[in-house]
Amino acid sequence: MGAQRPRVVVLDFDSTLTAPIFLERARAWAIADKPELLATMGPEELVANFGGAARIAALDALLGALRELCIVSIGYKRAIVPQLRGVGLLRHFDAARIFGQDSRELRSVGYVKADLIAALAAEHGWAPADILFVDDSEEHVDAARARGVCATFLVRGHGLSLAEMDDIAAICGVSPAFRRGSEQRAKTP
């Protein structure tokens, strides 16, 4: 019998799900700790902030293939939810499992993502082998690894790359064919 595959994927938001753009008009990065700025983004900026239509289609395919999803971000939930809705990815998430710095749950653990993951695991009966935590911050990944609360995946670039999406799918036991058709969805208005 092979190793147990994670069934819960806990994702960071900025520079993991998104590939933040610099908005010249505001002289600021479009990240979820700036909810007022994100609320001013037009559709083209929103798509660009997720890395473009093809990347959004690949994310949609990956998220649709995974079993259980959570977001744990230092950004604001009130910024994350409209961003996900605006690119059609919110349907993959239960709003009760999106946690930002404005969430009571993340505040209660002093904004330590590893501690929130441990609390969620205890609440839902998840074993460390059940959970994969995906983040672009070495600090957050190292803390989760050091506490032994879950498996971890460090995003190396500016948002999940297609290769990293494939790696996550493989870790979770998802068929490599999960992205089939995502190229066509990227071309559909």
Side-chain angles (χ1 to χ4, degrees):
M1 186 182 213
Q4 183 174 341
R5 303 282 189 171
R7 62 184 177 93
V8 180
V9 179
V10 178
L11 297 149
D12 175 45
F13 186 71
D14 291 316
S15 296
T16 297
L17 287 173
T18 67
I21 58 172
F22 188 79
L23 295 172
E24 287 293 337
R25 64 181 168 78
R27 296 186 181 176
W29 288 96
I31 55 176
D33 64 354
K34 295 178 170 71
E36 292 78 17
L37 175 60
L38 294 187
T40 70
M41 292 176 71
E44 288 180 9
E45 290 173 324
L46 185 57
V47 168
N49 206 44
F50 277 84
R55 186 171 176 278
I56 292 169
L59 281 168
D60 186 50
L62 174 65
L63 297 174
L66 298 173
R67 293 172 60 190
E68 294 183 57
L69 299 168
C70 298
I71 292 175
V72 177
S73 173
I74 301 302
Y76 289 93
K77 178 177 180 174
R78 66 187 165 100
I80 294 167
V81 169
Q83 290 273 302
L84 291 169
R85 183 181 301 114
V87 296
L89 298 177
L90 183 60
R91 66 189 176 87
H92 297 293
F93 297 93
D94 177 343
R97 289 194 180 175
I98 299 174
F99 305 94
Q101 66 174 281
D102 52 344
S103 301
R104 175 187 46 80
E105 298 87 349
L106 190 55
R107 283 193 311 267
S108 73
V109 296
Y111 306 100
V112 178
K113 292 180 180 185
D115 291 347
L116 178 56
I117 294 168
L120 291 169
E123 178 184 339
H124 296 287
W126 301 331
D130 291 333
I131 309 164
L132 176 64
F133 174 46
V134 180
D135 201 309
D136 66 305
S137 165
E138 286 188 51
E139 177 184 348
H140 292 298
V141 167
D142 288 348
R145 190 177 298 128
R147 287 170 174 76
V149 298
C150 58
T152 60
F153 186 95
L154 180 63
V155 177
R156 295 287 180 186
H158 188 67
L160 283 168
S161 68
L162 295 179
E164 288 171 326
M165 290 182 212
D166 290 344
D167 291 343
I168 290 166
I171 291 166
C172 294
V174 172
S175 164
F178 80 92
R179 275 200 290 128
R180 189 171 301 138
S182 66
E183 295 82 10
Q184 183 58 40
R185 285 191 300 276
K187 294 175 186 171
T188 304

